[in-house]
């Protein structure tokens, strides 16, 4: 038979074991809570890191876009070699390498027959526009004559040879230009016709990156190969070009490139480029 003392010892042992179990359970709960908090903190850091990374990437993208859309373009001006520098070349240096590519310019050709004006989009032709602006600042085209008119096959009036001055311009046959050349841009490969009436475009040789100072004004739709830079659109003075075309040419280039010197002389007194 169990004594009273033994029953008391058993009850005390049971209470102690229960207390120890409760303490152990509480310890497990505390550890679990700490782990959850630690895991939550880690999760917050990962998410925060992800947000930072996204923000950083977005900022980086914005910086790149700002750089890409900074409003400037880089141009390559290739100096003519000694063999390329003919007596008809007029070397006045080179334009800046970094040039604006936003805004609209008005090209004004003040001729003896009146003013011819064109609208030039710098975004489409930043380097060509910069070259025009630079050469105009050097009076490059002043007192020169449009040296070629074509009335068959294509219908263009060609100008821009710095050596086409005085009576002797008829002997230069359009061989003059600046002391550099550069790449073509804004090619009308998706246009039909590529060079409609009213377009002003850049003349070049058959070789790529051979654009210089010579340009032509289209007065009748012309099926030219779309390899010539479209500089802009004539906004004033097409009546002058049409009058010159109606007067015809002398056929001096008929056996070579076609056309000849305009019978009605077009003297460029001054050429300027200004922001619209």
């Amino acid at each position: 038979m169990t004594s009273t003392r033994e029953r008391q010892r058993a009850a005390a042992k049971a209470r102690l074991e229960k207390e120890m179990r409760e303490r152990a359970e509480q310890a497990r709960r505390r550890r679990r809570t700490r782990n959850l908090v630690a895991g939550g903190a880690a999760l917050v850091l990962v998410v925060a890191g992800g947000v930072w990374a996204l923000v950083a990437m977005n900022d980086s993208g914005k910086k790149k876009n700002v750089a890409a859309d900074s409003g400037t373009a880089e141009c390559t001006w290739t100096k003519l070699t000694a063999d390329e520098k003919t007596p008809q070349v007029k070397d006045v240096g080179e334009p800046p390498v970094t040039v604006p590519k936003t805004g609209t310019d008005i090209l004004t050709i003040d001729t003896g027959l009146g003013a011819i004006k064109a609208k030039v989009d710098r975004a489409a032709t930043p380097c060509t526009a910069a070259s025009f602006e630079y050469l105009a600042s050097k009076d490059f085209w002043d007192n020169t004559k449009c040296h070629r008119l074509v009335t068959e096959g294509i219908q263009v009036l060609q100008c821009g040879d710095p050596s086409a001055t005085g009576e002797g311009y008829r002997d230069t046959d359009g061989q003059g230009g600046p002391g550099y050349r550069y790449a073509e841009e804004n090619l009308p490969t998706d246009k039909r016709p590529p060079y409609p009436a009213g377009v002003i475009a850049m003349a070049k040789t058959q070789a790529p990156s051979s654009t210089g100072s010579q340009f032509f004004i289209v007065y009748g739709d012309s099926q030219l190969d779309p390899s010539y830079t479209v500089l802009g659109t004539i906004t004033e003075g097409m009546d002058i070009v049409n009058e010159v075309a109606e007067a015809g040419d002398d056929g001096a280039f008929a056996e070579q490139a076609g056309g000849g010197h305009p019978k009605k002389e077009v003297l460029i007194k001054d050429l300027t480029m200004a922001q619209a």
Side-chain angles (χ1 to χ4, degrees):
M1 189 173 179
T2 305
S3 66
T4 300
R5 186 180 293 276
E6 288 175 346
R7 286 197 300 271
Q8 290 174 342
R9 287 177 178 173
K13 181 180 179 183
R15 286 196 299 271
L16 178 60
E17 290 176 350
K18 181 182 178 182
E19 186 178 345
M20 290 178 66
R21 286 195 300 270
E22 289 176 350
R23 288 180 179 177
E25 180 63 24
Q26 289 174 355
R28 280 195 297 271
R29 288 176 181 174
R30 285 195 296 270
R31 286 195 299 271
R32 185 167 176 268
T33 300
R34 285 197 299 269
N35 290 339
L36 287 174
V37 172
L43 179 62
V44 170
L45 288 175
V46 170
V47 173
V51 171
W52 175 86
L54 288 173
V55 171
M57 285 190 290
N58 287 339
D59 287 345
S60 176
K62 288 178 182 177
K63 289 177 181 177
K64 289 179 181 178
N65 289 336
V66 168
D69 300 328
S70 61
T72 60
E74 300 296 312
C75 301
T76 299
W77 315 110
T78 303
K79 291 183 179 180
L80 299 186
T81 65
D83 292 338
E84 292 174 319
K85 284 192 174 183
T86 64
Q88 290 81 28
V89 169
K90 182 178 179 181
D91 193 345
V92 293
E94 301 163 22
V97 172
T98 302
V99 302
K101 66 171 184 178
T102 58
T104 301
D105 284 348
I106 299 300
L107 167 64
T108 301
I109 308 170
D110 184 16
T111 77
L113 303 175
I116 300 172
K117 296 185 178 183
K119 182 171 69 174
V120 177
D121 181 5
R122 279 191 176 272
T125 59
C127 296
T128 309
S131 178
F132 257 74
E133 184 176 37
Y134 176 78
L135 293 177
S137 72
K138 302 294 184 180
D139 299 329
F140 188 85
W141 292 283
D142 291 6
N143 300 312
T144 65
K145 299 177 182 180
C146 295
H147 62 277
R148 182 185 177 207
L149 176 71
V150 186
T151 58
E152 295 182 6
I154 59 174
Q155 297 175 305
V156 300
L157 174 65
Q158 188 168 333
C159 317
D161 180 352
S163 66
T165 59
E167 290 302 319
Y169 89 99
R170 295 181 181 275
D171 300 324
T172 65
D173 291 353
Q175 299 300 310
Y180 61 88
R181 51 187 171 83
Y182 56 100
E184 292 66 54
E185 53 190 357
N186 195 32
L187 301 180
T189 54
D190 59 343
K191 304 291 178 60
R192 296 294 180 273
Y195 300 94
V199 160
I200 180 169
M202 301 303 297
K204 60 182 283 294
T205 69
Q206 294 301 311
S209 298
S210 58
T211 299
S213 64
Q214 294 193 32
F215 58 91
F216 58 89
I217 298 171
V218 182
Y219 63 89
D221 292 351
S222 298
Q223 293 293 339
L224 286 164
D225 180 73
S227 60
Y228 305 89
T229 296
V230 173
L231 176 61
T233 304
I234 300 296
T235 58
E236 182 181 323
M238 276 305 299
D239 56 328
I240 295 172
V241 179
N242 291 330
E243 288 176 10
V244 173
E246 289 176 5
D249 64 85
D250 64 4
F253 308 138
E255 296 181 2
Q256 303 167 350
H261 304 103
K263 289 182 178 180
K264 190 166 189 174
E265 185 178 271
V266 184
L267 172 67
I268 297 176
K269 297 189 294 183
D270 186 34
L271 187 152
T272 59
M273 280 275 281
Q275 288 187 338

